[in-house]
Amino acid sequence: MSRIGKMPINLPSGVQVTIEPTEVIVKGPKGQLSEKIPYGIKVTQEDNQIMVQRLSDSKLHRSLHGLVRTLVSNMVVGVSDGFSKTLEIVGVGYRAMKKGNDLELAMGFSHPVTIKQLGGIEFEVPAPNRIIVKGANKQVVGEIAANIRSVRPPEPYKGKGIKYEGEHIRRKVGKTAK
């Protein structure tokens, strides 16, 4: 049995779960999320806990057991607490600012780069060199943060660019003079 898949998911107060044969819908204070459930995986609710079970011991069902449990758990955490990723900008003249709901980045190009705010995602810019991406869906928050980082990834010589908070950049030695 999957160690992750057999663990129950505790429901916090204010979170409602609707279980259909092929879909799980989770509603909470931060929004609503849904996920398709593959054939062979059964999701049940008992009191304030959700259990994920597999119907057979085939290799496919064993591999999906822990995955489905983690996806449902991430939905429950997302609609109750939400997820966030923090990005740091390193470099002289590099900065971020909020324009309405969108994010505008000045990253040394001839033009500012605008990142549109998608549904359910919020941008916070507490300082010109820090960006916080918040939302209920963990996958979308990570994808938007990766898109922002890809505008100017950190380079290995001076470390300039956009990096995740706490990310370690492997530095290279530059040219040596004779």
Side-chain angles (χ1 to χ4, degrees):
M1 187 111 190
S2 170
R3 286 180 296 196
I4 293 174
K6 68 181 178 183
M7 294 175 8
I9 302 167
N10 294 321
L11 289 178
S13 61
V15 175
Q16 301 169 349
V17 177
T18 306
I19 299 171
E20 297 174 2
T22 60
E23 189 176 26
V24 173
I25 301 166
V26 181
K27 295 179 187 174
K30 301 256 183 197
Q32 173 178 335
L33 296 173
S34 65
E35 187 70 41
K36 298 275 186 203
I37 302 300
Y39 176 76
I41 303 295
K42 182 179 169 190
V43 180
T44 58
Q45 182 178 1
E46 303 164 359
D47 300 327
N48 274 349
Q49 289 187 336
I50 298 175
M51 294 296 294
V52 178
Q53 295 144 355
R54 61 178 184 247
L55 300 180
S56 74
D57 276 342
S58 71
K59 185 171 181 156
L60 175 66
H61 294 159
R62 284 184 300 175
S63 65
L64 291 174
H65 189 199
L67 171 71
V68 170
R69 190 258 176 216
T70 302
L71 291 174
V72 173
S73 175
N74 285 343
M75 288 194 307
V76 170
V77 172
V79 298
S80 60
D81 300 332
F83 292 100
S84 68
K85 287 254 187 191
T86 305
L87 298 147
E88 296 173 347
I89 300 175
V90 179
V92 177
Y94 293 177
R95 65 185 179 281
M97 62 192 100
K98 234 180 135 176
K99 285 266 176 116
N101 289 336
D102 299 336
L103 182 69
E104 190 170 279
L105 302 170
M107 298 305 299
F109 300 123
S110 61
H111 59 283
V113 178
T114 304
I115 308 287
K116 300 282 185 197
Q117 177 179 337
L118 297 175
I121 298 295
E122 297 176 16
F123 296 123
E124 283 185 20
V125 185
N129 62 347
R130 283 178 60 87
I131 304 165
I132 301 173
V133 182
K134 290 184 174 183
N137 192 336
K138 186 175 186 177
Q139 182 179 353
V140 175
V141 168
E143 187 175 343
I144 297 293
N147 288 342
I148 293 171
R149 184 183 183 274
S150 70
V151 169
R152 177 79 72 168
E155 53 98 12
Y157 296 101
K158 293 184 179 178
K160 293 166 51 172
I162 302 174
K163 64 177 188 150
Y164 295 114
E165 183 180 47
E167 180 183 7
H168 177 70
I169 307 301
R170 294 183 73 193
R171 304 293 288 272
K172 291 183 179 177
V173 178
K175 291 183 180 178
T176 57
K178 283 203 171 198

